[in-house]
């Protein structure tokens, strides 16, 4: 392997790490909010199951390594630039506590860098439309409707039961359903880094076109996302668990079960779905599914804007990084140094108002009741 290939692999694993702590909330936010699992136990369980999930499928990895862009038209430097754009957008939205899509940040960064390097003909827009954009619109809507229905039925079937027994039963159910979401997240999201590393090896001539990820790629991607998950993206956990609605155990169970089912089906079909959008949509659906529940619709609008801008913003960052890196070795070094400096600045800003396992469940301002609940 050349030096640039090794740098790209390391950068891809760093992205995988940010994906882990950015998306921990997808699996565990509701369980932490309801007390079904303690914060530190939750992230440990999620990390272990993310690692296990990485070994269950490679269909999504194949979609990324051989479907989104023309691997014959780009090189490792282009992929490196795309990864830098994706990482910076991940860190920015983490700082703002917005649960944006790590997946769409990755796709946007890669598309932007490829566009600058090889033109629009190197981007497979039909694949982007069919396996990224259309699912991005449908998945959170489907998850929201299913979770809303599940929540409504859960309260309906348990309304004559003892509240304490119901709460205890749903807490046990939440542990199982949250674990399934973690497993599904590892199955879907860890594969995206596998696909990027495999694409890098193909463009460098180390692997033939159409290859799946080698075993060492699967292991390293699974470990990277697991470590990131274990550190806990507490800022986004707080947003999903406490700021959308005051989650109760039946709502948490319905949201997690719905999310796990949607993500596992998409992984089987090779669709690189945004697990963040699925889980967020399910939580909003669970909030609406409880009669007279309070849902923060202003936050929903902010999240929708973040989802809308994620791919274009990451594409711009990837394009800028790709343009600088295309000037040669010095340009690539400048991209690396600049990326590290910006990342360090974002981390320093986050320390001004830190959120950790100790304060992630602290109360927030009361939301306004939703008027359209069944």
């Amino acid at each position: 392997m050349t030096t640039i290939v090794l740098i790209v692999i390391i950068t891809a694993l760093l992205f995988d790490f940010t994906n882990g702590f950015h998306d921990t909330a997808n699996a565990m936010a509701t369980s932490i909010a309801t007390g079904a699992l303690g914060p530190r136990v939750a992230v440990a369980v999620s990390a272990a199951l993310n690692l296990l999930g990485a070994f269950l499928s490679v269909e999504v990895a194949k979609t990324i390594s051989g479907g989104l862009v023309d691997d014959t038209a780009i090189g490792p430097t282009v992929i490196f630039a795309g990864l830098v754009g994706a990482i910076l957008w991940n860190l920015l939205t983490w700082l703002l506590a917005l649960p944006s899509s790590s997946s769409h940040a990755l796709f946007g960064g890669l598309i932007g860098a490829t566009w600058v390097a090889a033109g629009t003909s190197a981007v497979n827009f039909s694949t982007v439309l069919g396996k990224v954009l259309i699912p991005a619109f449908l998945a959170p809507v489907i998850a929201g409707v299913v979770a809303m229905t599940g929540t409504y039925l859960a309260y309906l079937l348990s309304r004559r039961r003892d509240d304490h027994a119901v709460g205890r039963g749903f807490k046990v159910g939440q542990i199982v359903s949250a674990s399934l979401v973690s497993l599904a997240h590892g199955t879907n999201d860890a594969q995206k880094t596998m696909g990027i590393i495999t694409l890098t090896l193909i463009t460098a001539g180390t692997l033939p076109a159409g290859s799946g990820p080698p075993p060492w790629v699967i292991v390293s991607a699974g470990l990277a996302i697991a470590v990131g998950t274990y550190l806990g993206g507490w800022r986004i956990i707080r947003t999903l668990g406490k700021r959308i609605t005051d989650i109760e155990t039946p709502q948490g169970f319905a949201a997690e079960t719905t999310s796990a089912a949607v993500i596992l089906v998409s992984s089987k079909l090779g669709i690189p779905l945004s697990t963040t959008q699925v889980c967020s949509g399910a939580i909003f659906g669970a909030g609406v599914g409880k009669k007279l529940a309070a849902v923060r619709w202003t936050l929903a609008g902010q999240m929708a804007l973040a989802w809308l801008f994620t791919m274009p913003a990451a594409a711009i960052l990837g394009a800028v990084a790709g343009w600088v890196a295309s000037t040669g070795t010095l340009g690539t070094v400048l991209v690396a140094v600049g990326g590290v400096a910006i990342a360090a600045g974002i981390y320093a800003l986050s320390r001004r108002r830190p959120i950790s396992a100790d304060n992630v469940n602290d109360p927030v301002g009361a939301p306004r009741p939703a008027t359209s609940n069944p």
Side-chain angles (χ1 to χ4, degrees):
M1 296 185 187
T2 62
T3 301
I4 185 61
V5 171
L6 290 173
I7 291 173
V8 173
I9 291 172
I10 293 170
T11 307
L13 294 176
L14 287 174
F15 167 79
D16 206 21
F17 171 80
T18 67
N19 191 348
F21 75 73
H22 198 282
D23 288 5
T24 308
N26 296 346
M28 291 299 174
T30 54
S31 293
I32 292 172
T34 62
L37 287 169
R40 291 184 175 84
V41 173
V43 296
V45 170
S46 186
L49 290 171
N50 265 277
L51 176 59
L52 178 61
F55 294 91
L56 298 184
S57 174
V58 293
E59 295 305 315
V60 172
K62 290 179 180 178
T63 297
I64 294 173
S65 63
L68 293 181
V69 298
D70 182 359
D71 54 62
T72 64
I74 62 173
T77 302
V78 174
I79 300 173
F80 170 70
L83 285 167
V84 170
I87 290 171
L88 293 180
W89 183 254
N90 258 3
L91 292 175
L92 178 60
T93 51
W94 164 76
L95 175 66
L96 299 174
L98 286 174
S100 67
S101 171
S102 297
S103 305
H104 291 174
L106 177 62
F107 304 149
L110 181 61
I111 289 170
T114 299
W115 197 324
V116 167
T120 57
S121 61
V123 180
N124 298 326
F125 286 104
S126 60
T127 302
V128 173
L129 178 64
K131 291 203 169 185
V132 177
L133 297 181
I134 292 177
F137 173 76
L138 293 178
V141 175
I142 293 172
V145 171
V146 174
M148 178 185 68
T149 305
T151 299
Y152 181 79
L153 291 175
Y155 278 108
L156 181 66
L157 296 174
S158 62
R159 64 182 176 177
R160 299 183 185 277
R161 306 296 179 99
D162 177 70
D163 290 343
H164 179 72
V166 168
R168 184 174 56 197
F170 276 115
K171 278 187 178 181
V172 173
Q174 269 200 279
I175 294 172
V176 176
S177 59
S179 299
L180 283 175
V181 177
S182 294
L183 188 71
H185 183 266
T187 302
N188 197 282
D189 276 40
Q191 287 192 63
K192 292 157 189 172
T193 298
M194 296 178 205
I196 287 294
I197 295 176
T198 303
L199 176 62
T200 302
L201 297 174
I202 290 172
T203 60
T206 305
L207 288 177
S211 296
W216 67 267
V217 172
I218 297 174
V219 172
S220 58
L223 287 172
I225 200 169
V227 172
T229 299
Y230 180 71
L231 290 181
W234 303 112
R235 307 176 82 84
I236 299 177
I237 288 174
R238 181 175 173 80
T239 294
L240 289 184
K242 303 299 290 185
R243 293 181 60 200
I244 291 177
T245 187
D246 294 323
I247 289 286
E248 296 180 353
T249 51
Q251 295 168 292
F253 175 74
E256 291 162 358
T257 303
T258 299
S259 300
V262 173
I263 296 167
L264 286 171
V265 170
S266 70
S267 299
K268 180 65 176 177
L269 297 176
I271 298 174
L273 206 61
S274 167
T275 55
T276 299
Q277 292 184 357
V278 171
C279 295
S280 300
I283 292 172
F284 274 107
V288 173
K290 181 190 174 186
K291 189 176 182 179
L292 300 180
V295 178
R296 294 176 176 85
W297 295 109
T298 301
L299 178 60
Q302 295 171 0
M303 290 168 56
L305 285 175
W307 295 351
L308 180 64
F309 285 114
T310 288
M311 279 191 70
I316 292 171
L317 290 172
V320 171
W323 177 75
V324 175
S326 67
T327 60
T329 303
L330 179 59
T332 303
V333 171
L334 287 174
V335 169
V337 172
V340 170
I342 295 172
I346 291 174
Y347 177 77
L349 289 173
S350 75
R351 295 298 85 198
R352 293 183 177 182
R353 298 181 64 185
I355 299 174
S356 67
D358 298 321
N359 64 357
V360 68
N361 273 339
D362 285 355
V364 296
R368 289 186 295 180
T371 57
S372 58
N373 294 327

